[in-house]
Amino acid sequence: MLKGHRTWEFVQKPVILSTGTVGGPFEGNGAIAEDFDLLHSDLWLNQDSYEKAHRVLLEEACQRAIEKAQIQQEQVQFFLGGDLINQITPTSFALRTLEIPYLGLFGACSTSMEGLALAAFIVNAKGADYLLTGASSHNAAVEKQFRYPTEYGGQKPPTAQWTVTGAGVALLSDSGEGPRVTSATVGRVIDMGLTDPFNMGGAMAPAAVDTIESHLKERGIQPSYYDLIVTGDLGHIGHEIAFDLLKKHGIQISEEQFQDCGMMIYREGQPVLAGASGAGCSATVVYGHLLNRMKKGEFKRMLVVATGALLSPVSFQQGETIPCIAHAVSIEFDGRQ
Amino acid sequence: MLKGHRTWEFVQKPVILSTGTVGGPFEGNGAIAEDFDLLHSDLWLNQDSYEKAHRVLLEEACQRAIEKAQIQQEQVQFFLGGDLINQITPTSFALRTLEIPYLGLFGACSTSMEGLALAAFIVNAKGADYLLTGASSHNAAVEKQFRYPTEYGGQKPPTAQWTVTGAGVALLSDSGEGPRVTSATVGRVIDMGLTDPFNMGGAMAPAAVDTIESHLKERGIQPSYYDLIVTGDLGHIGHEIAFDLLKKHGIQISEEQFQDCGMMIYREGQPVLAGASGAGCSATVVYGHLLNRMKKGEFKRMLVVATGALLSPVSFQQGETIPCIAHAVSIEFDGRQ
């Protein structure tokens, strides 16, 4: 199975049988609203805290994926995933509801592809027949924890990004029809010394480039192998930096071919500054919008490079720079549905 | 590879080539001090914050394991692990230093065996030649975050436990000599409705029992298969509850055979109330003390059941009960060294 030092190729090509994507009101007004399975009109989801609402997003996304695959919840052997909240409680509490054996992950906004990489590895090696993986975030819960409660109306610089309220999950199996997971490259921590927590895109861009470069090298392929190389949540600022860095490293890639989930989810005019972010960003955009486009035949081979900033408010207060990571997973679909 | 619904059997029996264990002053005065590779005489480790000291514990444990295995750091393909601190920053910052591709985990105090289960799965399926996994905690960093800064001198009830200052890691490979990882059972979230964050042992005991029961059933073995079934950090209170519950469930097990890492690490008379806890507890006790005893031939088959309480201060403040989990991994050694 091993191809390169940190890249796995999945010979069995695990299948994404179904996905579940749930979003909030801001996502419902966004550019890809029709790609969500379920959209909520307010941030509370009938709960008495944002953290509990966050939990419900993930529960609902898992339930949708299970329903769509037409299997029983008891058939799902494992859930792998996480979120940004301290001790990833929204995910753990959702798994209390779902009662699926659970492996908690933390990779900040890279969690979606950390989970898909491990999930595909497990299915590929016949460690599960059915397995769920995913990530989620909730704008108000995340803002409260990392910055200020949204009710304060705090101002942000134009480099800041808007945390997605949403959960995206994928149900994997070793048989069936659907897009297939063909390889994964695990990220390493890259820290270029940036300290501004309002410019995460800039901090994360070098990690994305490092992982893309290793992925192409270890698989022995050219960037042209992929119809789309899509980063997780670099936003406008980080996307430009990453594009420039790739070119400097001699990686030939076009603007059409290199895109970012954080620039897809919201509509022009929504006040999201440099774009979207959050663990739910790449999870909902990939498992909703991008897989839908794949199934329509718009493209066949996609490399998803989910980026994460591994800081905390405490590490920032203690003068630390921002360590970042990016995990890449390739998804391919030959058009049969 | 699949045996039961949530149990993996590892046909290749990945080898624990070496381990690294680092502790603090309280552990240096404890019952198994001689089993640590390195002990620090103060909690600061020459750093200017407890979180940074926490990071150093893990860096040193990894370095020791790599040295003992006589390999180069560049040969280690992945690190899997985590800690209890918000956004697991001590682990992520240690991986910035170590530059090893990194998959962050969160399973609270069950992280040690969550990591070993996944690490053994990856090595067993030929996903890595060398891989590190481990967990760590720091008493003062954890107390500050979950309860009060230790400088406040806060009082605790006798059901509370003492968070270990320590890091324990294992270096796995598919070849070589040493104890072998033979199977793993992934936990599910069990919540019996307990709400007292000063009685984690009591809250976690049912999760340990659930996992032990599933493990024995899915592997089709009797408890007598194991010389030792050792839980992570139930402490005196949780240990008694778990022992009673196992008997009630008809699982025949003796007091000598059923033990707890949280009752091994400190000496009689150390003011640790109900025993030890923390992600570093099972990690240091298993990868230090217990593997040393195995290598001396004291026992051949051990099931480690690391327990975790998946709450946060916020979830407690919002009136939530304590969701718990336990992951079990079997380690066997035939005496050849």
Side-chain angles (χ1 to χ4, degrees):
Chain A
M1 181 187 300
L2 194 70
K3 180 88 180 185
H5 194 65
R6 55 174 168 137
T7 298
W8 297 314
E9 294 219 355
F10 304 125
V11 177
Q12 304 298 326
K13 296 179 182 162
V15 179
I16 299 177
L17 273 190
S18 67
T19 61
T21 52
V22 179
F26 218 71
E27 293 66 36
N29 289 323
I32 57 169
E34 69 282 0
D35 290 309
F36 282 85
D37 293 314
L38 181 61
L39 286 163
H40 288 276
S41 57
D42 80 55
L43 283 172
W44 292 98
L45 283 75
N46 299 315
Q47 301 294 310
D48 59 9
S49 80
Y50 291 135
E51 291 78 12
K52 292 179 186 178
H54 188 339
R55 181 201 77 222
V56 174
L57 293 170
L58 181 61
E59 289 171 358
E60 291 176 339
C62 290
Q63 284 153 357
R64 293 293 157 126
I66 292 168
E67 280 165 29
K68 285 198 270 178
Q70 295 183 298
I71 63 165
Q72 299 300 309
Q73 192 159 309
E74 296 71 37
Q75 291 177 268
V76 182
Q77 287 171 263
F78 307 103
F79 176 90
L80 286 92
D83 60 70
L84 289 161
I85 297 299
N86 298 344
Q87 290 75 55
I88 63 168
T89 51
T91 304
S92 296
F93 280 87
L95 268 295
R96 181 178 69 178
T97 311
L98 297 164
E99 299 181 318
I100 298 166
Y102 164 47
L103 295 157
L105 308 180
F106 183 81
C109 305
S110 74
T111 302
S112 62
M113 290 304 115
E114 179 184 348
L116 188 60
L118 281 169
F121 190 99
I122 290 171
V123 169
N124 186 66
K126 305 213 173 296
D129 293 331
Y130 297 104
L131 183 157
L132 269 171
T133 183
S136 59
S137 49
H138 186 292
N139 182 282
V142 163
E143 288 296 320
K144 184 176 75 173
Q145 177 184 281
F146 283 99
R147 289 165 284 261
Y148 298 102
T150 47
E151 293 86 346
Y152 286 13
Q155 300 293 300
K156 288 182 178 184
T159 52
Q161 292 167 248
W162 183 275
T163 302
V164 166
T165 298
V169 304
L171 182 65
L172 265 71
S173 179
D174 61 351
S175 60
E177 289 300 320
R180 289 170 174 273
V181 185
T182 52
S183 72
T185 298
V186 175
R188 55 182 178 174
V189 179
I190 302 285
D191 186 337
M192 302 303 282
L194 273 76
T195 55
D196 180 2
F198 287 111
N199 183 4
M200 301 285 207
M204 296 190 294
V209 171
D210 178 73
T211 295
I212 292 167
E213 210 172 355
S214 286
H215 177 84
L216 297 172
K217 193 175 162 194
E218 296 193 355
R219 282 198 86 181
I221 54 177
Q222 295 298 316
S224 59
Y225 179 87
Y226 292 109
D227 304 310
L228 183 68
I229 296 178
V230 61
T231 47
D233 54 351
L234 294 181
H236 293 280
I237 314 280
H239 178 72
E240 270 184 49
I241 296 170
F243 190 63
D244 285 351
L245 275 174
L246 285 170
K247 279 193 290 189
K248 274 189 190 157
H249 290 216
I251 294 167
Q252 297 301 322
I253 191 167
S254 70
E255 279 186 49
E256 295 69 39
Q257 197 190 354
F258 186 58
Q259 297 188 28
D260 181 61
C261 296
M263 294 162 69
M264 291 180 187
I265 189 166
Y266 297 124
R267 207 178 286 279
E268 279 291 317
Q270 283 187 298
V272 298
L273 301 164
S277 67
C281 178
S282 59
T284 56
V285 173
V286 172
Y287 296 144
H289 179 67
L290 290 175
L291 289 188
N292 283 348
R293 284 175 59 191
M294 244 189 169
K295 287 175 187 173
K296 284 179 201 154
E298 286 188 39
F299 45 86
K300 292 188 174 189
R301 291 166 174 172
M302 158 168 81
L303 181 68
V304 183
V305 188
T307 40
L310 303 170
L311 83 169
S312 78
V314 169
S315 75
F316 168 72
Q317 286 156 5
Q318 293 185 355
E320 281 283 7
T321 52
I322 303 174
C324 297
I325 199 163
H327 303 293
V329 178
S330 61
I331 302 174
E332 307 190 19
F333 191 57
D334 63 7
R336 282 181 298 119
Q337 172 70 330
Chain B
M1 182 188 300
L2 193 68
K3 180 87 180 185
H5 195 66
R6 54 173 167 138
T7 298
W8 296 314
E9 294 219 357
F10 304 124
V11 178
Q12 304 298 325
K13 296 178 182 162
V15 179
I16 300 176
L17 273 189
S18 66
T19 61
T21 52
V22 180
F26 218 69
E27 292 65 36
N29 288 324
I32 57 168
E34 69 281 1
D35 290 309
F36 282 86
D37 292 316
L38 182 62
L39 286 162
H40 288 275
S41 56
D42 79 55
L43 283 172
W44 292 97
L45 283 76
N46 299 315
Q47 300 296 310
D48 59 9
S49 80
Y50 291 134
E51 290 78 14
K52 292 179 185 177
H54 189 341
R55 181 201 79 223
V56 174
L57 292 170
L58 181 61
E59 289 171 358
E60 290 176 341
C62 290
Q63 284 153 357
R64 293 292 157 123
I66 291 166
E67 279 165 30
K68 287 199 270 179
Q70 296 183 299
I71 63 166
Q72 299 300 308
Q73 192 160 311
E74 295 72 40
Q75 291 178 268
V76 181
Q77 286 172 263
F78 307 103
F79 176 91
L80 285 93
D83 60 70
L84 289 160
I85 298 299
N86 298 344
Q87 290 74 54
I88 63 168
T89 50
T91 303
S92 296
F93 280 87
L95 269 295
R96 181 178 70 179
T97 311
L98 295 164
E99 299 181 320
I100 298 166
Y102 164 47
L103 295 156
L105 308 180
F106 183 82
C109 305
S110 74
T111 302
S112 62
M113 291 304 115
E114 180 183 349
L116 188 59
L118 282 169
F121 190 100
I122 291 170
V123 169
N124 186 66
K126 304 212 173 299
D129 293 331
Y130 297 105
L131 183 157
L132 269 170
T133 182
S136 60
S137 50
H138 187 292
N139 183 281
V142 164
E143 287 297 320
K144 184 176 74 173
Q145 177 184 278
F146 283 98
R147 289 166 282 261
Y148 299 102
T150 47
E151 293 87 345
Y152 285 12
Q155 300 293 300
K156 288 183 180 183
T159 51
Q161 292 167 247
W162 183 275
T163 303
V164 166
T165 299
V169 304
L171 183 65
L172 265 69
S173 179
D174 61 351
S175 59
E177 288 300 320
R180 288 169 175 274
V181 185
T182 53
S183 73
T185 298
V186 175
R188 54 183 178 172
V189 178
I190 303 285
D191 186 336
M192 302 303 283
L194 274 76
T195 55
D196 180 4
F198 287 111
N199 183 7
M200 301 284 208
M204 296 190 294
V209 171
D210 178 73
T211 296
I212 293 169
E213 210 171 354
S214 286
H215 178 83
L216 297 172
K217 193 175 162 193
E218 295 193 356
R219 280 198 86 182
I221 54 175
Q222 296 299 315
S224 59
Y225 179 86
Y226 291 110
D227 304 312
L228 184 67
I229 296 178
V230 61
T231 47
D233 54 352
L234 295 181
H236 293 281
I237 314 281
H239 179 70
E240 270 184 49
I241 296 169
F243 189 63
D244 286 350
L245 276 174
L246 285 170
K247 280 193 290 189
K248 273 188 191 159
H249 290 216
I251 294 167
Q252 297 302 321
I253 192 167
S254 71
E255 280 186 47
E256 295 68 39
Q257 198 190 353
F258 187 57
Q259 297 188 29
D260 181 62
C261 296
M263 294 161 68
M264 291 180 187
I265 189 166
Y266 296 123
R267 207 179 285 281
E268 278 292 317
Q270 283 186 299
V272 298
L273 302 165
S277 66
C281 178
S282 59
T284 57
V285 173
V286 171
Y287 296 144
H289 179 66
L290 289 175
L291 289 187
N292 284 347
R293 284 175 60 190
M294 247 189 167
K295 288 176 187 171
K296 285 179 197 151
E298 286 187 41
F299 45 85
K300 292 187 174 188
R301 291 167 175 171
M302 162 168 78
L303 181 69
V304 183
V305 188
T307 40
L310 303 171
L311 82 171
S312 77
V314 169
S315 75
F316 169 73
Q317 286 155 6
Q318 294 184 354
E320 280 284 8
T321 53
I322 304 174
C324 297
I325 200 163
H327 302 293
V329 178
S330 62
I331 303 174
E332 306 189 20
F333 190 57
D334 64 6
R336 282 181 298 117
Q337 173 68 329

